Amino acid sequence: MIAAGVAGLWWITAPQPLSSAEIDQFDAPGDPNRGQQVFALGDCASCHASPGQTDRLHLGGGLALASPYGTFRVPNISPHPVDGIGVWKTVDLANALLRGVSPAGSHYYPVFPYESFAHMTAGDVVDLMAYLRTLPPISGRAPAHDINFLFQIRRFVGFWKLLYFDRKPIEPDLGGDAKWNRGRYLVESVGHCAECHSTRDIFGGIKAETRFAGGQDPEGVGFAPNITPTRIGDWSKQDIAELLRSGNTPNHGRVGSSMTEVVTNTAMLSDGDREAMAIYIKSLPARPTPKP
């Protein structure tokens, strides 16, 4: 019976890549111009650009991300054939983003925000890969993670996924208009806004009652603000769209901390996409700001 229980746990915590029936949708060549927009909204350069240099497309990784579980190192995602993802197929990127599974078949740690990316459309994944393939290959691999021993056992991530990982696509709300639905997709999926603007529990999962209501910076060095109407209810959609374009707030301030990097990316989006994001953010339910 014990053996059966162990076998059951091993089975339910196994990485679950895309099924053979799902992978055909990632065979298309993709549009690198549209992929550039996905890359910008996904804030990819903010994490994967090599520290200590100014080229945001020098995607050699190496950034150290502190956490309560230890220090994670961001990988090289340039098209380098050995040190980066140059030999990846598009389905490998799809498995990473949509399933949190590596080409080797192991779990990725959720410091990589695939909890949000899991809702991306196949088209956006294909276009993103097409764009990544146009970037310069960068040699060099990031150092290994320096995390607590218990968390070095990646199979435990399977338990985390059982608790928090929702892989269902974001279905359009027939009661919402096209811009609201577009904004919902951009904010909840590719933009992964809730990953910072929420509070997490002891296991690192987002507390549902704090979603978008603010939370401690993932590295514990600040507090991401509440972006529900409790905090920005008097902002217009034009105010929010302008912040995403320029970083300017309606009270003549400017965003700071890691949000400056986010604005560098959202400034590259179309006016229509920034407006759609603003419309969706204006519609969020009001929630109290949790205590830091």
Side-chain angles (χ1 to χ4, degrees):
M1 183 175 293
I2 293 177
V6 170
L9 287 174
W10 186 257
W11 181 78
I12 65 173
T13 59
Q16 297 181 26
L18 293 159
S19 68
S20 57
E22 295 172 306
I23 62 176
D24 289 346
Q25 58 191 322
F26 301 101
D27 285 341
D31 181 341
N33 292 322
R34 285 172 29 196
Q36 184 178 28
Q37 295 283 291
V38 178
F39 179 87
L41 180 60
D43 211 25
C44 305
S46 297
C47 283
H48 291 279
S50 303
Q53 50 83 46
T54 58
D55 185 354
R56 290 170 52 78
L57 301 182
H58 188 287
L59 303 179
L63 179 68
L65 297 176
S67 80
Y69 317 106
T71 300
F72 294 91
R73 295 281 183 170
V74 179
N76 182 330
I77 61 165
S78 80
H80 193 281
V82 176
D83 297 330
I85 61 171
V87 299
W88 282 26
K89 299 177 181 178
T90 304
V91 71
D92 293 325
L93 181 63
N95 273 319
L97 293 168
L98 308 183
R99 295 294 185 266
V101 176
S102 75
S106 61
H107 291 297
Y108 279 122
Y109 292 107
V111 65
F112 171 40
Y114 54 78
E115 183 185 5
S116 294
F117 293 153
H119 308 300
M120 289 174 64
T121 64
D124 276 353
V125 175
V126 170
D127 291 341
L128 176 59
M129 180 55 105
Y131 177 66
L132 289 173
R133 286 171 173 157
T134 70
L135 300 180
I138 307 298
S139 62
R141 294 189 177 186
H145 301 315
D146 182 15
I147 54 179
N148 298 335
F149 172 75
L150 184 63
F151 301 107
Q152 293 177 24
I153 304 172
R154 289 191 183 236
R155 197 64 172 225
F156 286 165
V157 177
F159 288 106
W160 186 93
K161 287 181 175 179
L162 288 173
L163 293 172
Y164 303 108
F165 191 32
D166 177 9
R167 303 179 304 177
K168 296 189 296 294
I170 296 176
E171 299 291 345
D173 184 342
L174 300 181
D177 65 22
K179 282 191 174 181
W180 182 90
N181 276 303
R182 174 67 174 165
R184 180 189 180 204
Y185 171 72
L186 296 174
V187 169
E188 296 280 7
S189 180
V190 190
H192 59 284
C193 304
E195 299 287 342
C196 285
H197 292 278
S198 306
T199 296
R200 297 179 180 273
D201 62 24
I202 191 173
F203 299 113
I206 291 175
K207 295 180 179 179
E209 68 275 14
T210 72
R211 193 170 182 85
F212 298 111
Q216 189 175 50
D217 179 276
E219 296 191 73
V221 296
F223 195 86
N226 187 332
I227 59 171
T228 77
T230 299
R231 171 65 177 81
I232 62 170
D234 59 340
W235 291 21
S236 67
K237 69 178 183 182
Q238 291 81 11
D239 291 333
I240 298 171
E242 177 59 25
L243 180 146
L244 295 173
R245 186 190 71 83
S246 67
N248 294 328
T249 66
N251 58 357
H252 307 293
R254 283 190 62 81
V255 298
S257 189
S258 59
M259 191 64 190
T260 58
E261 287 277 345
V262 174
V263 169
T264 297
N265 293 311
T266 54
M268 301 178 191
L269 304 180
S270 68
D271 290 341
D273 275 351
R274 284 193 296 269
E275 180 186 12
M277 293 175 71
I279 288 170
Y280 180 70
I281 290 170
K282 280 289 292 181
S283 76
L284 293 172
R287 291 189 171 121
T289 304
K291 294 181 180 180

